[in-house]
């Protein structure tokens, strides 16, 4: 039996409900289903008038109401629930039907699910969606991965539902298997780093310069006119300006300083470690959230160790310019690292990712949207290198920012203000810009205790020194 609905959405919490509304508002006939039927009823009651939304109370009716080959978006909690929902749906599906997992699934799970579905003659698309609640409704950045034929079937509606920048949809077929979810994962990792860098800037303005939240908001607002312009700074300004009704204080001053996380930042760091790509900014951002969560330890330690004694002072223009430079340069490093990870994963998994296209589809709809991504897209159009720090444009941008960046990190160290992301970005930059680093000594040490061998600058081959014997060198 075939139905008439163009698309199904399974899972109607905030993201699923808004994606369904987005599709309906774009003229599609959408069947909606949720395990707990109260959500289905609420969606139809509150938003049924926005377009052709049809609520189903059983999986059978939901599936039967869809046009064939069926396309069903799953927007349920990531992890086991996705497998459970797929197992529930599979017996009701026909060959060629497509399940689209639009949640934040781990890319290896997506690879596995693609294989399992293919074994049943069903098709699977692992689709990253970014933009939060508002993006899902008004146009997110959409990163579908999976077989190209399945993408062809869903392309018209995902292109319509996606955000648009300069008339171009923020959506593209990313690559096979788990490529879409991988790219979404690294997007989130970059988001962690970007947020951490903004938080460190806030901390310096607050702790070193003694500024109030509203005044810090004004500083960020001034920067919105320059290359830092972004959605994340935009919402930072709003958060800093919000007054708490209960206390009359800035809301940010009464929010508990413990950051939570759902896993995508950690997964990004884990994958980078496996691939051997140094993404220091993202990893430090994940660790910083971890340390924030150890509030009891922090409180105990704050009584144990004396604070660094420095008088707070108002920042002059030069100090603010330094902070702006530090934030900008560190942001370039964080994005450069994220894109290098994507390039590394693309090679390792044979995904043939188009980095310029990724920058393009992140310009709108998603959490890291920013004019800055336009520059990255342009750079990748004619770049000789995949590494942003090795491109002419960003090399010039970094060079202009370096003096201020160093002063900011020095100030943080002097005043005992932790800046793990600023500091690690600068250390990474200093590491990459040196043709010869200190790893020669590491190789010597490794050869000493483990006979791991070393290579020489002046001759080809591998060598070992008989450290504990006669000290002679042999070819290994
Ligand atoms: P949640 O992640 O909170 O998931 C809740 C939904 O999952 C509900 O519809 C719930 O149904 C359903 N669900 C949970 N377990 C099961 C199960 N075993 N069987 C059937 N249904 C189940 O919802 P969100 O809308 O926040 O997110 C959905 C997905 O989108 C997640 O993967 C999330 O990581 C991702 N995402 C979220 C963003 C956000 O800003 N919130 C942004 C981008 C992606 P019930 O009502 O019956 O409990």
């Amino acid at each position: 039996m075939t139905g008439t609905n163009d698309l199904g959405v399974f899972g109607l919490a905030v993201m699923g409900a808004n994606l369904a509304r987005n599709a309906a508002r774009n003229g599609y006939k959408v069947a909606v289903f949720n395990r707990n039927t109260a959500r289905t009823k609420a969606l139809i009651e509150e938003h049924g008038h926005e377009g052709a939304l049809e609520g189903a109370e059983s999986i059978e009716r939901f599936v039967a109401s869809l046009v064939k080959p069926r396309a069903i978006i799953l927007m349920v909690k990531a992890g086991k629930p996705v497998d459970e929902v797929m197992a529930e749906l599979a017996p009701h599906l026909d060959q060629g039907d497509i399940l689209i997992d639009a949640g934040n699934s781990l890319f290896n799970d997506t690879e596995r699910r693609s294989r399992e579905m293919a074994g049943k003659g069903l098709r699977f698309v692992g689709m990253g969606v970014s933009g939060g609640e508002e993006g899902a409704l008004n146009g997110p950045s959409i990163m579908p991965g999976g077989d190209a034929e399945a993408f062809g079937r869903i392309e018209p509606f995902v292109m319509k539902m996606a955000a648009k920048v300069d008339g171009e949809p923020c959506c593209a077929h990313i690559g096979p298997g788990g490529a879409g979810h991988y790219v979404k994962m690294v997007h989130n990792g970059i988001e962690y780093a970007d947020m951490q860098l903004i938080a460190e800037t806030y901390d310096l303005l607050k702790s070193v310069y003694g500024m109030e939240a509203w005044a810090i908001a004004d500083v960020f607002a001034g920067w919105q006119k320059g290359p830092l312009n972004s959605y994340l700074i935009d919402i930072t300004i709003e958060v800093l300006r919000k007054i708490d009704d209960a206390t009359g204080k800035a809301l940010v001053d009464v929010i508990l300083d413990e950051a939570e996380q759902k896993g995508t930042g950690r997964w990004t760091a884990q994958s980078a470690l496996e691939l051997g790509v140094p993404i220091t900014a993202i990893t430090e951002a994940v660790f910083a959230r971890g340390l924030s969560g150890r509030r009891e330890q922090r409180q105990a330690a704050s009584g144990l160790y004396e604070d660094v004694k420095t008088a707070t002072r108002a920042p002059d223009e030069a100090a603010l310019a330094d902070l702006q430079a530090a934030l900008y340069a560190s942001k370039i490093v964080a994005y450069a690292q994220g894109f290098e990870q994507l390039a590394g994963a693309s090679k390792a998994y044979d995904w043939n990712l188009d980095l310029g296209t990724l920058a393009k589809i992140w310009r709108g709809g998603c959490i890291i949207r920013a004019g800055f991504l336009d520059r990255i897209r342009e750079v990748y159009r004619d770049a000789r290198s995949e590494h942003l720090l090795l491109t002419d444009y960003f090399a010039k941008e970094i060079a202009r920012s370096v003096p201020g960046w160093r002063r900011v990190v020095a100030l943080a160290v002097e005043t005992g203000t932790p800046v793990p992301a600023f500091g690690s970005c600068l250390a990474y930059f200093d590491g990459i810009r040196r043709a010869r680093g200190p790893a020669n000594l590491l190789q010597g040490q490794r050869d000493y205790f483990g006979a791991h061998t070393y290579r020489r600058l002046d001759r080809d081959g591998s060598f070992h020194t008989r450290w504990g014997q006669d000290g002679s060198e042999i070819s290994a």
Side-chain angles (χ1 to χ4, degrees), residues 10-19 33-40 74-85 88 101-105 127-134 136 181 184 188 191 262 264 267 367:
F10 189 124
L12 303 176
V14 52
M15 292 297 288
N18 281 0
L19 270 187
F33 178 87
N34 195 72
R35 176 182 63 175
N36 165 1
T37 52
R39 282 196 204 270
T40 317
L74 310 181
M75 236 340 177
V76 298
K77 209 175 194 57
K80 223 167 132 223
V82 178
D83 290 307
E84 287 170 6
V85 167
E88 280 175 56
D101 174 16
N104 277 337
S105 291
M127 186 167 89
V129 175
S130 175
E133 190 176 351
E134 185 260 332
H181 275 140
K184 170 68 193 334
N188 284 26
E191 174 188 308
K262 283 192 166 172
T264 42
W267 296 343
I367 304 299

Side-chain angles (χ1 to χ4, degrees), residues 132-187:
E133 190 176 351
E134 185 260 332
L137 182 61
N138 298 318
S141 177
I142 306 183
M143 295 150 255
D147 81 83
E149 207 188 303
F151 174 71
R153 159 79 175 90
I154 67 166
E155 185 172 6
F157 65 76
V158 287
M159 289 295 184
K160 251 191 169 173
M161 288 163 71
K164 311 283 177 312
V165 174
D166 303 332
E168 293 183 279
C170 294
C171 175
H173 182 230
I174 302 295
H181 275 140
Y182 191 93
V183 166
K184 170 68 193 334
M185 174 189 81
V186 176
H187 162 285

Side-chain angles (χ1 to χ4, degrees), residues 129 150 162 171 190-191 208 210-211 233 265 416 447 463 467 471:
V129 175
C171 175
I190 293 173
E191 174 188 308
V208 177
M211 291 173 72
I233 295 227
D447 189 57
F463 302 90
W467 301 95

Side-chain angles (χ1 to χ4, degrees), residues 443-444 446-448 450-455 462-465 475-476:
Q443 285 299 87
R446 294 179 71 247
D447 189 57
Y448 189 106
H452 292 301
T453 75
Y454 51 84
R455 285 176 293 146
S462 291
F463 302 90
H464 168 61
T465 289
S475 264

